[in-house]
Amino acid sequence: MGRGQAPVSERVDEPDGKTLSARESQIMSLIAGGHTNGEIAAYLFLAEKTVKNHVRSIYSKLGVASRPAAISHWLVSHAAAHTAANGEYTPTR
C-alpha cells in the first residue's frame, strides 16, 4: 500500500455494531500514533478540513468526545482483537 492509499476491504467493526470505513480506520491509526490533523492531511494528500470531518465521524462511531478518549478506545479494542485473533489468553481478575 502506497502513501495516501487506504485498503478498500479494510473495515473495523466496533462493539456497538458501527463500522469505521477503511479511511476512518487509517486516520484513527494515525491519530493513535500521535499525529495531528495537519500531519495526517499532508500524509494522505487530503485537505485538513476533510480530516476533521473524518475525525468527527470517528468520534461519533466510537461514542467519544475527545482525541484522548478515541485513542484509548482504539488501543483497547485493538489490543483485545489482537489477543483474540492470536488465541492468546488474558486472565481477568
Side-chain angles (χ1 to χ4, degrees), residues 13-29:
D13 294 323
E14 293 303 319
D16 63 1
K18 294 184 179 179
T19 303
L20 296 183
S21 69
R23 181 62 90 184
E24 289 167 341
S25 177
Q26 184 180 35
I27 289 171
M28 190 59 234
S29 183

Side-chain angles (χ1 to χ4, degrees), residues 41-53:
Y43 180 75
L44 297 177
F45 303 105
L46 298 171
E48 191 168 350
K49 175 72 171 139
T50 301
V51 173
K52 287 179 185 180
N53 288 336

Side-chain angles (χ1 to χ4, degrees), residues 25-74:
S25 177
Q26 184 180 35
I27 289 171
M28 190 59 234
S29 183
L30 291 166
I31 289 170
H35 298 282
T36 66
N37 288 354
E39 291 169 342
I40 294 168
Y43 180 75
L44 297 177
F45 303 105
L46 298 171
E48 191 168 350
K49 175 72 171 139
T50 301
V51 173
K52 287 179 185 180
N53 288 336
H54 282 299
V55 170
R56 261 199 328 267
S57 177
I58 291 166
Y59 287 3
S60 175
K61 289 180 180 182
L62 297 182
V64 300
S66 68
R67 203 172 193 93
I71 292 169
S72 176
H73 182 286
W74 180 258

